Amino acid sequence: MVSGLRLFLMTATGIWFGFLLLGQAAFAVELGDKEKGRKLFKLCKNCHQIGQGAKNRIGPHLNLLFGRKAASIDGFRYSKGIKRAAAGGLEWHADTLSAYLENPKNLVSGTRMNFAGMKDLDQRMDLIAYLRLFSDNPADIPEADPTISDAGHDLDPAILALKGDPDYGDYLSGECTACHQTSGQDDGVPSIVAWPEDDFVRAMHAYKKQVRQHPVMQMIAGRLSDDEIASLAAFFANIKE
Amino acid sequence: MGLDRRVFMGGAAVAASSLAMPYGFAKGNGTPKVVVIGGGAGGATAARYLAKDSKGALDVTLIEPSRSYYTCFFSNLYLGGFKNLDDLVHSYGTLASGYGINVVHDWAIGVDRDKKYVTLAGGAQVPYDKLILSPGIDFVEGGVAGWDILAQNKMPHAYKAGSQTELLKAQVMAMPAGGVFAMVAPPNPFRCPPGPYERISMVAHLLKTHNPTAKILVADPKPKFSKMALFQEGWGTHYDGMIDWIGPDFGGDNVVVNPDEMTLSIDGEVTKVDVCNVIPAMKAGRIAEVAGVSDGRWAPVNAKDMSSKADKNIHVLGDAALQGDMPKSGFAANSQAKVCANAIRGELTGSKVFPAKFSNTCWSLIDDDDGVKVGASYKATDEKIAKVSGFISKIGEDAATRANNYKESEGWYAGITKDMFG
């Protein structure tokens, strides 16, 4: 039932973007199975604690995570990358967590979270359902995050399959290299060179969907077509650092 | 006088528009019977929708001890001086005369689930095919050390509107210059999550005019409450230095009151207070326990039709229900009542049943024309009523937006009370 809905959402990605831009959740899917999520949390346990008495360890504790600004726990030493994302307005909700768990570096350049990523959407939703148990209950705090999420949709595989034209990407890249250095040097703006094409495309679509926060990048990505993003990915992936 | 005329007019209008099926006459003995216990936002709405939409195909009885209903929502505005008590009172006259609902002013004291009838304090037995319980809240005994219901005259809860609300306001008005108003805020979950904090705002508003050197002390067992940032911003802007909120980090969860001495002890530190508004921990109204559908605190229900998990012929609405993500509010009870009425009517008369959808908005007034709101939409899942999406007022909004929020809340009040009472 639930996965049926998700399938529908995946095939309807074009329409879906339209709704997202309006800021409306047109469809909702339930977060996943908390019990499965509890087991998946084993992958996180080496660095993160959750539940009563949870403390910061290698990673910050995950209580009251939903609705929290990124990098906002007092006393935890965050990476430069996540602090930059926080300054851009990154907050933790089901959608941003899903993007982060899929591949941390796609959402936050320079994050210290050393996690290969969880490619399976159902698994991410299961894990997110488990994490959601440790944040505010909407029955008590009506403004607390939803317990059903519209985050359960992947990027349309057709978008990932697009073959970009590196020459077109080279032409378009003028807009990028005003800030991002082609040498890969990070003087306050992260490097975007030699990035796997898939990741580049996912990151740009995350901006486009406004899941990934940064006003400038949301503006830039917002007016790039799927083909243009693929071309930029093809170009930047093959620049020599 | 005015009330009588309104009732008469309402009755006449409905009679004229429904000559084909006059309420109350077409019912034979075989007409399915729905009994509703509790005439608040859940019960009155459910009774009205069942009667209105079934057009005589259901026999609806509403059991409610009070002849005049004071809405708990907006009662804080009476405390603040924005509304009169008369603005909050409603009669059941139109539900009887205009909708053919059998309104019985009595206490329901027993439910026989096997034989399917309700026993009233007066001795009568009222049979049902479907029973709706919408009894609101009662207080958990021993919830606040030193307080019990016998102390409610000295330390009012004012969390059921009416005489308690009037008493609390009289006590605030009688405070000595520079006196202390104290509130013991309730633990989760409780009726109207922003309610205690709107009340603080309204008392502060009243004191600012009548007793500007008075202080307000709030002991709270919760580290966080609804619209917290908005209230704290407003308290700073409008009532700077007047309100002292003490959360659990500073002992707000370790409170003892002494109604005879009029003292409040927070983490062992005793303060003499002039008014003490004690809002204890809450549970479902007693009839839920009597009917055996409570888990000891609340009545668990299925989200799709608000039917009790213990008995498919009993439905529970509003504050008493354990349903998932919706806050306990009048708006929520009204929303749940319509879903429930639709499902019951479908089951008893074969009418079409539509998917359950719920919504809620809570407005709070902080000061003159400074209204804020929080709202969400919900849907039924197999597990619970789940929050889908929502909104909340922003910090630092412009005055026009805030003034408009208050206007909107007045419109809502007019709308929901019409939706409840006809």
Side-chain angles (χ1 to χ4, degrees), chain B residues 308-327:
Chain B
S308 160
K309 291 197 168 164
D311 185 333
K312 70 177 175 55
N313 293 315
I314 298 182
H315 297 244
V316 186
L317 302 178
D319 296 352
L322 181 69
Q323 36 69 19
D325 289 352
M326 292 187 88

Side-chain angles (χ1 to χ4, degrees), chain B residues 290-359:
Chain B
V290 170
V293 296
S294 161
D295 67 2
R297 189 86 188 266
W298 309 103
V301 296
N302 298 302
K304 67 174 178 10
D305 59 0
M306 305 302 290
S307 61
S308 160
K309 291 197 168 164
D311 185 333
K312 70 177 175 55
N313 293 315
I314 298 182
H315 297 244
V316 186
L317 302 178
D319 296 352
L322 181 69
Q323 36 69 19
D325 289 352
M326 292 187 88
K328 300 183 184 303
S329 76
F331 196 126
N334 172 264
S335 174
Q336 293 160 12
K338 293 173 208 174
V339 168
C340 174
N342 183 258
I344 287 182
R345 196 161 60 83
E347 199 176 329
L348 295 180
T349 72
S351 63
K352 193 155 186 228
V353 177
F354 298 101
K357 285 177 105 164
F358 308 89
S359 60

Side-chain angles (χ1 to χ4, degrees), chain B residues 198-282:
Chain B
E198 181 187 55
R199 175 172 294 174
I200 290 301
S201 311
M202 290 295 95
V203 169
H205 175 83
L206 197 62
L207 291 173
K208 194 164 76 170
T209 323
H210 294 277
N211 190 349
T213 55
K215 295 281 180 219
I216 296 175
L217 183 62
V218 189
D220 205 324
K222 309 178 294 298
K224 193 169 169 185
F225 55 81
S226 180
K227 302 179 187 165
M228 187 167 184
L230 293 163
F231 279 116
Q232 289 182 333
E233 177 197 41
W235 294 348
T237 312
H238 304 296
Y239 316 114
D240 194 24
M242 186 184 252
I243 300 164
D244 191 6
W245 179 82
I246 298 171
D249 287 352
F250 297 92
D253 57 345
N254 180 16
V255 162
V256 184
V257 296
N258 184 332
D260 293 322
E261 305 288 327
M262 281 307 286
T263 58
L264 165 65
S265 153
I266 301 176
D267 227 12
E269 191 179 320
V270 179
T271 307
K272 181 98 180 88
V273 299
D274 298 290
V275 179
C276 193
N277 176 202
V278 175
I279 310 176
M282 296 169 204

Side-chain angles (χ1 to χ4, degrees), chain A residues 60-70 72-73 90-92:
Chain A
H61 76 76
L62 300 175
N63 291 343
L64 300 177
L65 176 64
F66 289 72
R68 185 203 282 167
K69 245 178 100 81
S72 64
I73 293 181
L90 178 64
E91 289 180 359
W92 295 122

Side-chain angles (χ1 to χ4, degrees), chain B residues 75-307:
Chain B
S75 64
N76 283 331
L77 300 188
Y78 159 73
L79 288 175
F82 290 88
K83 297 287 166 201
N84 298 313
L85 210 54
D86 286 351
D87 299 331
L88 307 180
V89 70
H90 302 269
S91 134
Y92 294 96
T94 307
L95 292 183
S97 65
Y99 297 90
I101 295 166
N102 179 23
V103 180
V104 178
H105 293 302
D106 201 344
W107 285 94
I109 55 165
V111 176
D112 188 320
R113 278 165 44 185
D114 294 328
K115 299 203 177 85
K116 300 216 286 191
Y117 65 82
V118 175
T119 307
L120 304 182
Q125 291 179 347
V126 188
Y128 67 81
D129 294 297
K130 289 279 179 186
L131 175 63
I132 298 176
L133 303 181
S134 191
I137 50 120
D138 271 322
F139 299 118
V140 174
E141 269 177 58
V144 174
W147 193 91
D148 63 28
I149 203 71
L150 298 176
Q152 70 167 7
N153 224 30
K154 287 173 177 149
M155 294 188 168
H157 54 78
Y159 232 63
K160 298 180 183 185
S163 50
Q164 276 278 301
T165 324
E166 233 175 316
L167 173 65
L168 184 64
K169 181 159 185 179
Q171 290 184 352
V172 175
M173 294 304 282
M175 276 169 63
V180 177
F181 173 98
M183 173 189 280
V184 178
N188 289 325
F190 60 95
R191 158 180 284 182
C192 190
Y197 312 97
E198 181 187 55
R199 175 172 294 174
I200 290 301
S201 311
M202 290 295 95
V203 169
H205 175 83
L206 197 62
L207 291 173
K208 194 164 76 170
T209 323
H210 294 277
N211 190 349
T213 55
K215 295 281 180 219
I216 296 175
L217 183 62
V218 189
D220 205 324
K222 309 178 294 298
K224 193 169 169 185
F225 55 81
S226 180
K227 302 179 187 165
M228 187 167 184
L230 293 163
F231 279 116
Q232 289 182 333
E233 177 197 41
W235 294 348
T237 312
H238 304 296
Y239 316 114
D240 194 24
M242 186 184 252
I243 300 164
D244 191 6
W245 179 82
I246 298 171
D249 287 352
F250 297 92
D253 57 345
N254 180 16
V255 162
V256 184
V257 296
N258 184 332
D260 293 322
E261 305 288 327
M262 281 307 286
T263 58
L264 165 65
S265 153
I266 301 176
D267 227 12
E269 191 179 320
V270 179
T271 307
K272 181 98 180 88
V273 299
D274 298 290
V275 179
C276 193
N277 176 202
V278 175
I279 310 176
M282 296 169 204
K283 60 179 182 178
R286 176 147 168 76
I287 194 71
E289 241 166 276
V290 170
V293 296
S294 161
D295 67 2
R297 189 86 188 266
W298 309 103
V301 296
N302 298 302
K304 67 174 178 10
D305 59 0
M306 305 302 290
S307 61

